[in-house]
Amino acid sequence: MKHRILLATCALGALTLGASGACAAAAAATNNTTTIGELVVTAERREENLQSTPVAVSAFSQQTLAARGLTGGQDLLLQIPNVNYTRGNFGGFNLKIRGIGVDVVAFSGTTGVSINENELPLGSNNFANTDFYDVQRVEVVRGPQGTLYGRNATGGAADVITNLPTKDFGGYASFTYGNYDTIKASGAVNIPLGDAWALRIAGFRLFNDGYGENEYLHERVDGRDLGSVRATLRFRPNDRLDAWLMWEHYAENDDRNRIGKQLCIKDPGPTHVGPELIAPAGGPIASNYAAFLNQGCLPGSLYQPAAYGTINSNATSVNLDNLLGINNGQDLFRDNPLQSTNLHNIQSIRQPLFESYQDLVMLHIDYKLSDTLTFSSITGYNHAWGFSEEDYNRIVPVDPFTPVSTGLAGIYAPLVFPNGTIQDPQIGTTNKYATFDYGTAASKEYTEEVRLSSNFSGRINFSAGAVYAETTEPFGAENYYVFSNALTAPALLNNALGGAVFGPLYVSGEPVPNGQGHQYYDARSGGGYLKTYAAFGEVYFQITPDLKLTLGGRYNVDQLYNNSFPIELYVPTPNGNTPAPGIDGTVAVPGFPPTVCTTSLSACDV
């Protein structure tokens, strides 16, 4: 009751000048387990008390993060207004502030919220995967921040500030065990090295068996096996110079689901067509044509049991198999029951794969030119790479492919695919419809920012600087493939018929997609770059103790080059290569995961 009266008093008092500071202090007094008396932030790229920072910023100290259970970037939406977080179907995540994030699905798409670590912007990061371990605070600034944070801060910016070494020897360690066989360990040690040097080493490790189940293989899925280590060396010989060098490594290799299961209200397909298609009054559709008008899923509320249905396979590439007699035209998911309501549970003929790695190095220098002027330099290098592979539909059909024996192609289909079994180089040998996507990504970022800021005792202060940033992608590093035995089967049948349908097709035999195949969807990019030159500045005028005017500007020059390869599907055999027959029983089960990017940094640049 006392807390409710306090909130009501603060709401009324907010109509008067100065009430917000009093209420903040009162709230701290009533909830001192998750707040502290004073928190210094750098939301404006200068150290200020959170209470006097004139921007919409939410800041959480290490104690507050622990008390509120905010373990990583995805948890911030629980405590910050106007913030939303989702994971993408094709990898990555979308952190939105005030409705601004990134919704475009493209290699050249960029986020609308800047993710930073120790004021260094990171285009590639594990903000949503890793833990906030050994951090001093986490800041989230809402609203356009383009002046200080640059081109990718239209919606706002998030900044993770890590703990720096001190002159005192010490450390800590924590260990947690929980359900799903969760094991989590973290800790840090601070080592002084004389009067001017100090070293801090911190790390964490997280493992669990998985939050869901692969109901087809009866194995746990959506698990975690990840960790990170950070080493910071600090040099502070006097009160004017403060410099520190940090190296941080992150690694993850597990069966994490990029997103949960796919919900669908099954579309059974139309039985009639309207008068706009058949005059004068429409009419029934023959069953062998109805499949081609199917939409897969129907619109409707997801808050009903029918939403846990399965897609109608006749709305997918299976229709090409229907045309060629590889399948009999029936929905392959027709006998599937409703899916489990547990969004972590999926169905897949093999486990998902998720790997992510990052090496980050930064050098931060602060030098006080005088008692009122500070020069700062931030130099950063960020190398990130990874890959993921996952069932595209996350559903395994109960019914197998059923070849028909009518028509020229249909006569050959039962011979090429006995009992509906398709020998796919990427998926393996199975008679169940299966579609997987496989994506890789790698990038290198170089950043140099210099800044001069003031701390005058008068009403006017300023912050001005310049930045150069360059992001490069190794040639062919950004890849996204969709491979399906429903796409491979027509190519194999075509070649068995001597190229009678499409002409001779090249069926790639490599188990891991590498861009050489033409029987799977192949969207590749790489070899591009983004170079940014910018100068920025802000002037602050303290009109009254409670009112400050900020005037800022930024001049930006961006040079963006994106190299995309043409998307090819079912193209003739290139350069005289002979088509792989794919029907002699020699296609082995694919070997996953690939060795690319798992053994050395240089392998990721191939």
Side-chain angles (χ1 to χ4, degrees), residues 13 53 80 148 166 173 183 213 226 357 443 450 453 496 499 505 525 551 593 602:
T53 302
I80 305 176
L148 297 179
T166 65
I183 300 175
E213 180 186 358
L226 56 93
Y357 304 90
S443 66
V450 293
S453 58
L505 297 180
S525 179
L551 179 65
S602 59

Side-chain angles (χ1 to χ4, degrees), residues 468-485:
Y468 169 77
E470 178 179 346
T471 300
T472 60
E473 298 174 346
F475 187 80
E478 299 284 340
N479 305 298
Y480 180 73
Y481 306 103
V482 180
F483 44 93
S484 171
N485 52 12

Side-chain angles (χ1 to χ4, degrees), residues 137-223:
R137 65 185 181 275
V138 175
E139 304 175 8
V140 178
V141 191
R142 303 188 298 280
Q145 307 297 324
T147 302
L148 297 179
Y149 289 88
R151 59 192 296 272
N152 288 339
T154 308
D159 200 354
V160 179
I161 308 298
T162 63
N163 281 323
L164 294 179
T166 65
K167 294 183 178 180
D168 300 319
F169 179 83
Y172 69 90
S174 67
F175 179 84
T176 303
Y177 179 81
N179 56 348
Y180 305 106
D181 284 332
T182 299
I183 300 175
K184 181 178 179 180
S186 63
V189 58
N190 192 91
I191 306 172
L193 304 172
D195 295 333
W197 296 87
L199 174 66
R200 188 178 186 92
I201 301 175
F204 95 99
R205 189 79 163 81
L206 173 64
F207 173 84
N208 68 49
D209 285 342
Y211 299 108
E213 180 186 358
N214 184 337
E215 297 171 333
Y216 185 78
L217 296 178
H218 303 290
E219 297 180 9
R220 301 299 299 176
V221 73
D222 199 23

